[in-house]
Amino acid sequence: MASIPQPRRPRASAATLPPHPAAESPNPLAPSRVFLLARAPPPPLLHLPQFVTEAKIKVGRPPYLVLPGPPPLVVAAVAQPPVATMCGILAVLGVADVSLAKRSRIIELSRRLRHRGPDWSGIHTYQDCYLAHQRLAIVDPTSGDQPLYNEDKSVVVTVNGEIYNHEELKANLKSHQFQTGSDCEVIAHLYEEYGEEFVDMLDGMFSFVLLDTRDKSFIAARDAIGICPLYMGWGLDGSVWFSSEMKALSDDCERFISFPPGHLYSSKTGDLRRWYNPPWFSESIPSTPYNPLLIRESFEKAVIKRLMTDVPFGVLLSGGLDSSLVASVVSRHLAETKVARQWGNQLHTFCIGLKGSPDLKAAKEVADYLGTVHHELHFTVQEGIDALEEVIYHIETYDVTTIRASTPMFLMSRKIKSLGVKMVLSGEGSDEIFGGYLYFHKAPNKKEFHEETCRKIKALHLYDCLRANKSTSAWGLEARVPFLDKNFINVAMDIDPEYKMIRRDLGRIEKWVLRNAFDDDEKPYLPKHILYRQKEQFSDGVGYSWIDGLKDHASEHVSDSMMMNASFVYPENTPTTKEAYYYRTVFEKFYPKNAARSTVPGGPSVACSTAKAVEWDAAWSKHLDPSGRAALGVHDAAYEDSLEKAPASADPVSESVFRPAHGESLAKTVAPAAAV
């Protein structure tokens, strides 16, 4: 296992490409237009699906694309790059009914996932097992369709995800022959080589189902943090179901659950087991000193590896710390990546908000500073309200925080896709890793602080990962999240949490360890005031009147008597506000089964805290709300009426107290362990 297996046929170079008939017989009235794709890439923000749809099918070998119009434009693909896909998968295994009607039903259910993969559909049938796939092609849209196979097609796999280290893995599979350029095909071959214990070798985001036809065994697995969604269900006939979204299971399964992240299911044992076992998972307190340069280098590597794409892409830029750092790192390194040679080295950034919102203003400033092509998108409160039912259908939750933030992201994704962009980078995960939510100001000690970050990361698949993936996938857009890189999480969670604590006496605000790591006076990543901008939750940052408008809308549809009887109507996760009640009624309309409502978490929360962290401040239990403004005495724009009523324990502090001194070097700002 030393080298990449040789391809089945040599790849032609530009010099050896045979002529195409269109070039051999040019129109005598006009010169023929024959171009190599490698020499004449489409311009940035070209609508790739339309580009391919309008082209005639590939002709001959090597593959050509003949674009319409006189004279014909022939594009020859010099080499087939890795095929990356974010898709929708549906697997049904061990059904009692193997009729054509059952196959048609599975295809019909798979179509419910077509928004995730509008580019192509595939299905593999083996006896009583069905593996279906809806493909979103990020590279080479005319090949690499799924399901994928090993050499003799005895192993079948349907995958939703991106495997960033696929080339390295292929290099160690010397005896295997790969049939496609897909980064996901490596899963079938790794299974052949290592059995079920290969999943931890994968670096990426994924959910997959693999069928071994030799003994009719199967496995299913989900990535470490749960970036890619996956649900598991059971039919009355004894069948086992897996799907990227609940909507493909909710009608035909008697029971279904959210597949836990970092887990693998094996039909051989009939149970789930956790394959992801990092040191932080035990929640024991780490003691490694803070190393700002290691944080910076690890994050930059995480961002760069996610530039594996051959379609137009961009960055979701809210103007907050996390998305701004993603955009800054991409801007710095884009020119040296392969994608720049195809799409150019100017980054496109996207932001959405109500006119005059905090995010729009900050995002434009960051975009101007980085020199990106910035797209400022607007929506109104009414447009957001009009989209609520569709959002809840796609997001598959009734959680208040998630719906508030998902709606503008859902609207933004539609506009981004209309520009021909198919992949975006986003800043999810940083607040969970570094304790960035404003309620962390009240963490009583480093043990409580660290345990809360662990709880938040473990629950990400139910909140921010779910929102980021499903809001974008609703429009066939893929979101990548570098903060949730496995290696970066290990580095960040290995830091002694004393360094992450908010220390007013030392001038440390939330996420100081991250801000300080990128505070470079010689070659600044961001303007100082952006680098140290206070945490603003997405649903707040798009405009404070957005949440207020949602509450007003819910009040018009939910009466006091409905709230009085809420515990009888919804005994599980009983809604405590009219807004929560309204979302619940919409959710139940689409997903009425008990199994569906059980996939959504519940419990008291303030400013996105877990129920445990609500105990950190007695005042919070009287003002439970997931908005960042509910962090009384911490958020600069906290609810004014609440601040007036808040007891002294809320300890209001001005913004200047939290803002650290600027202009100091990394060495000067890192406090020694003894002083922390």
Side-chain angles (χ1 to χ4, degrees):
M1 300 188 295
S3 62
I4 300 178
Q6 296 299 311
R8 291 175 296 168
R9 61 180 62 86
R11 291 180 174 177
S13 67
T16 60
L17 281 172
H20 186 273
E24 294 175 346
S25 304
N27 184 334
L29 300 180
S32 65
R33 299 189 297 155
V34 182
F35 294 89
L36 300 181
L37 186 58
R39 294 181 179 175
L45 287 183
L46 172 69
H47 197 313
L48 193 59
Q50 181 180 354
F51 174 82
V52 173
T53 302
E54 291 181 352
K56 296 182 180 178
I57 298 298
K58 290 180 177 180
V59 182
R61 290 192 180 277
Y64 295 94
L65 287 177
V66 183
L67 301 190
L73 169 59
V74 181
V75 182
V78 176
Q80 293 187 5
V83 181
T85 54
M86 281 296 285
C87 315
I89 64 174
L90 173 64
V92 186
L93 305 123
V95 297
D97 178 7
V98 294
S99 66
L100 288 176
K102 186 65 174 182
R103 184 178 186 275
S104 297
R105 174 58 177 168
I106 292 170
I107 292 174
E108 177 187 346
L109 294 173
S110 179
R111 289 194 190 109
R112 296 184 182 181
L113 309 175
R114 183 161 291 176
H115 53 275
R116 298 184 62 88
D119 296 334
W120 200 251
S121 305
I123 186 169
H124 178 88
T125 303
Y126 180 78
Q127 297 180 7
D128 57 355
C129 299
Y130 302 84
L131 277 71
H133 190 266
Q134 300 289 339
R135 184 181 180 219
L136 173 65
I138 302 299
V139 177
D140 193 11
T142 55
S143 69
D145 300 325
Q146 291 197 38
L148 297 163
Y149 307 89
N150 64 340
E151 292 90 340
D152 63 3
K153 294 193 174 183
S154 61
V155 176
V156 191
V157 61
T158 181
V159 190
N160 168 30
E162 310 285 356
I163 310 302
Y164 302 121
N165 64 335
H166 66 100
E167 291 183 353
E168 174 188 340
L169 294 172
K170 287 180 180 179
N172 292 323
L173 294 168
K174 182 178 179 180
S175 62
H176 293 258
Q177 296 295 319
F178 290 82
Q179 312 302 312
T180 73
S182 173
D183 58 302
C184 296
E185 187 188 340
V186 72
I187 292 173
H189 299 280
L190 287 171
Y191 170 80
E192 276 195 298
E193 192 76 21
Y194 301 102
E196 297 179 352
E197 306 305 319
F198 72 91
V199 183
D200 198 25
M201 299 169 66
L202 302 175
D203 180 9
M205 53 180 182
F206 56 83
S207 59
F208 69 82
V209 180
L210 181 148
L211 171 65
D212 188 341
T213 62
R214 295 169 295 190
D215 59 3
K216 279 189 65 177
S217 64
F218 60 89
I219 62 173
R222 191 177 183 188
D223 66 65
I225 305 301
I227 302 168
C228 290
L230 186 64
Y231 292 84
M232 181 178 184
W234 295 267
L236 286 173
D237 61 351
S239 56
V240 182
W241 297 55
F242 300 93
S243 175
S244 294
E245 295 185 3
M246 187 166 59
K247 55 182 61 66
L249 306 182
S250 56
D251 291 341
D252 291 59
C253 290
E254 185 65 17
R255 181 172 177 261
F256 46 90
I257 62 171
S258 175
F259 195 99
H263 278 68
L264 178 142
Y265 174 85
S266 172
S267 65
K268 293 178 180 178
T269 59
D271 57 13
L272 286 155
R273 68 176 183 271
R274 185 156 52 87
W275 62 264
Y276 180 56
N277 297 284
W280 63 266
F281 208 89
S282 66
E283 301 183 11
S284 59
I285 311 303
S287 57
T288 303
Y290 168 51
N291 183 339
L293 293 180
L294 181 59
I295 289 287
R296 182 194 296 184
E297 292 169 1
S298 300
F299 182 66
E300 288 187 319
K301 289 178 181 178
V303 172
I304 292 168
K305 77 171 63 169
R306 281 159 179 79
L307 298 181
M308 182 185 78
T309 178
D310 286 291
V311 297
F313 77 100
V315 172
L316 303 185
L317 178 61
S318 69
L321 173 67
D322 307 328
S323 64
S324 297
L325 282 179
V326 173
S328 178
V329 173
V330 174
S331 296
R332 285 190 175 216
H333 297 282
L334 183 58
E336 63 199 49
T337 63
K338 294 180 181 178
V339 68
R341 293 195 290 272
Q342 185 169 0
W343 299 108
N345 57 12
Q346 192 162 24
L347 178 65
H348 289 258
T349 52
F350 304 89
C351 183
I352 193 168
L354 306 177
K355 288 187 176 180
S357 71
D359 279 1
L360 290 179
K361 179 181 178 182
K364 186 179 187 308
E365 184 174 358
V366 174
D368 290 343
Y369 181 82
L370 299 177
T372 71
V373 179
H374 189 57
H375 306 265
E376 184 175 288
L377 310 173
H378 303 107
F379 78 106
T380 65
V381 172
Q382 188 58 53
E383 286 173 335
I385 290 172
D386 291 343
L388 279 176
E389 290 207 4
E390 194 175 5
V391 168
I392 292 171
Y393 171 76
H394 279 287
I395 306 305
E396 301 181 325
T397 187
Y398 50 82
D399 175 69
V400 171
T401 313
T402 306
I403 294 170
R404 286 177 175 180
S406 293
T407 305
M409 197 169 191
F410 175 86
L411 297 172
M412 176 170 57
S413 297
R414 184 177 189 180
K415 292 187 176 183
I416 291 173
K417 185 61 182 292
S418 72
L419 296 173
V421 173
K422 296 180 75 173
M423 187 273 282
V424 290
L425 275 70
S426 190
E428 275 74 21
S430 172
D431 291 311
E432 287 73 15
I433 295 169
F434 294 104
Y437 292 109
L438 296 181
Y439 72 89
F440 276 94
H441 281 261
K442 298 291 184 177
N445 52 60
K446 73 176 187 178
K447 180 177 182 294
E448 291 271 359
F449 191 106
H450 181 71
E451 289 175 350
E452 176 71 359
T453 60
C454 293
R455 288 190 294 266
K456 291 293 291 182
I457 296 173
K458 292 175 184 178
L460 263 171
H461 68 290
L462 300 172
Y463 297 99
D464 286 21
C465 287
L466 179 146
R467 167 181 55 80
N469 183 280
K470 293 183 181 178
S471 294
T472 54
S473 293
W475 301 105
L477 182 68
E478 174 192 318
R480 298 181 181 177
V481 283
F483 278 107
L484 297 182
D485 179 83
K486 274 202 307 182
N487 180 67
F488 180 74
I489 292 176
N490 289 339
V491 169
M493 292 302 291
D494 195 40
I495 301 171
D496 186 331
E498 190 69 50
Y499 292 96
K500 296 181 181 179
M501 293 278 289
I502 290 90
R503 291 287 301 272
R504 302 169 185 174
D505 56 329
L506 297 177
R508 295 182 183 175
I509 64 172
E510 67 278 353
K511 292 188 289 192
W512 173 83
V513 294
L514 180 64
R515 301 176 196 270
N516 185 67
F518 287 89
D519 195 346
D520 188 337
D521 288 331
E522 294 183 4
K523 192 177 179 182
Y525 283 77
L526 294 168
K528 290 282 188 180
H529 63 283
I530 294 292
L531 191 62
Y532 291 96
R533 181 189 175 198
Q534 186 181 50
K535 166 64 185 174
E536 194 78 81
Q537 288 168 215
F538 184 51
S539 54
D540 287 330
V542 296
Y544 295 130
S545 58
W546 166 235
I547 291 178
D548 298 335
L550 289 173
K551 291 181 176 181
D552 292 342
H553 177 72
S555 295
E556 295 173 2
H557 290 79
V558 180
S559 65
D560 293 339
S561 61
M562 292 166 74
M563 290 301 301
M564 187 178 301
N565 295 310
S567 61
F568 299 102
V569 178
Y570 301 119
E572 182 180 356
N573 280 349
T574 303
T576 58
T577 66
K578 290 185 177 181
E579 184 184 6
Y581 192 105
Y582 176 73
Y583 297 155
R584 185 67 170 269
T585 61
V586 177
F587 176 87
E588 298 263 348
K589 180 170 67 174
F590 295 122
Y591 307 106
K593 288 187 176 180
N594 288 330
R597 63 181 67 101
S598 297
T599 64
V600 182
S605 175
V606 62
C608 287
S609 74
T610 65
K612 176 67 176 175
V614 172
E615 302 171 5
W616 291 350
D617 193 303
W620 286 348
S621 61
K622 301 175 183 178
H623 302 282
L624 294 174
D625 192 292
S627 168
R629 288 181 290 164
L632 306 181
V634 175
H635 194 283
D636 297 336
Y639 296 122
E640 293 180 3
D641 58 336
S642 298
L643 275 175
E644 292 171 0
K645 300 173 185 177
S649 63
D651 192 19
V653 183
S654 68
E655 179 185 0
S656 60
V657 175
F658 292 154
R659 200 169 298 287
H662 300 321
E664 296 181 306
S665 67
L666 289 175
K668 291 181 180 178
T669 52
V670 180
V676 174

